[in-house]
Amino acid sequence: MDFYTNQEMEELLEIEFKEYHFAPILAALQTVYLDSISTASSDIRKYNVHALCPEQLHKSLITVDTTSENFNSWKAYGFSDNLKLDLLIDEHKLQLDSLREEQYLIHTETGINQESLVRELVKFPFINKAQSVNCIGDGSQIEIVYFNPDFIQLIYSYGWGDCPSGCISRHYWELGIYGSGVIELISESGNELP
């Protein structure tokens, strides 16, 4: 629950940041800046795709018919002799990595919507199953609420307490970052920091 919906609203005149908060906040802002200039990230915002970890943007699993000439060509030479699949391979720089006899990990050079990719991959008759890779665990996250070239609004959350199973506690900072370099703390809420 947002702290401000549970308490009487009052104007904040001063917000104190402890020195040990600076590094995580700076890291969040640097991530947001890099995110704002990445072509792949603009597609993520455009299609409202969110991810909790980089693996979800770069990896998918497929189960294949290893007797297929198209698949064996892809595995050996990097192209499949299937025009539609070769366009996907070329566009997203799809790389195969063998896991087991019929199961392969697909890597993409840039972050893309892996859910959309796997929906396209299962249309090929020699790909029996495809799924995006999921992350295990939880932790600190950054969510872009609003973005334009002059202003980014984001929520940075810091999670702690048994995060491999899902963080028990979480603290939130909602920040506004202006093109001029000015950073505004819009609100702060959540559990008291450890």
Side-chain angles (χ1 to χ4, degrees), residues 10-183:
E10 63 180 73
E11 187 174 335
L12 297 175
L13 301 176
E14 184 177 333
I15 298 169
E16 180 182 350
F17 284 103
K18 304 280 188 220
E19 189 172 331
Y20 58 84
H21 293 149
F22 291 167
I25 291 171
L26 180 59
L29 296 176
Q30 288 171 333
T31 299
V32 169
Y33 171 73
L34 293 173
D35 183 72
S36 71
I37 61 174
S38 162
T39 302
S41 297
S42 67
D43 287 342
I44 291 165
R45 283 189 298 279
K46 179 178 175 184
Y47 297 108
N48 199 25
V49 178
H50 300 281
L52 296 177
C53 68
E55 287 80 9
Q56 288 177 308
L57 296 175
H58 295 273
K59 296 179 184 177
S60 289
L61 293 169
I62 58 172
T63 304
V64 298
D65 174 3
T66 56
T67 63
S68 164
E69 289 181 22
N70 292 115
F71 173 73
N72 287 319
S73 176
W74 182 13
K75 181 179 163 188
Y77 307 111
F79 60 90
S80 69
D81 288 329
N82 178 304
L83 181 59
K84 286 185 178 181
L85 180 56
D86 287 340
L87 289 172
L88 281 174
I89 292 169
D90 185 55
E91 180 181 359
H92 302 295
K93 311 285 188 271
L94 303 181
Q95 299 291 318
L96 288 173
D97 187 17
S98 177
L99 296 176
R100 291 188 266 295
E101 186 177 331
E102 296 176 346
Q103 195 171 51
Y104 288 79
L105 187 64
I106 295 178
H107 302 268
T108 60
E109 191 174 299
T110 58
I112 64 170
N113 182 343
Q114 295 290 327
E115 290 296 329
S116 294
L117 176 64
V118 297
R119 282 194 297 273
E120 291 302 312
L121 290 174
V122 294
K123 293 178 182 177
F124 299 100
F126 55 90
I127 298 179
N128 301 326
K129 185 178 175 185
Q131 67 184 47
S132 62
V133 171
N134 292 320
C135 293
I136 297 173
D138 193 3
S140 300
Q141 302 170 23
I142 300 171
E143 177 185 349
I144 295 178
V145 178
Y146 177 78
F147 171 85
N148 75 36
D150 296 322
F151 180 75
I152 300 171
Q153 183 178 350
L154 65 95
I155 297 173
Y156 173 73
S157 73
Y158 172 67
W160 69 93
D162 196 26
C163 286
S165 298
C167 299
I168 295 169
S169 302
R170 191 169 289 282
H171 193 85
Y172 300 88
W173 293 270
E174 186 169 353
L175 303 168
I177 303 156
Y178 296 87
S180 64
V182 172
I183 300 167

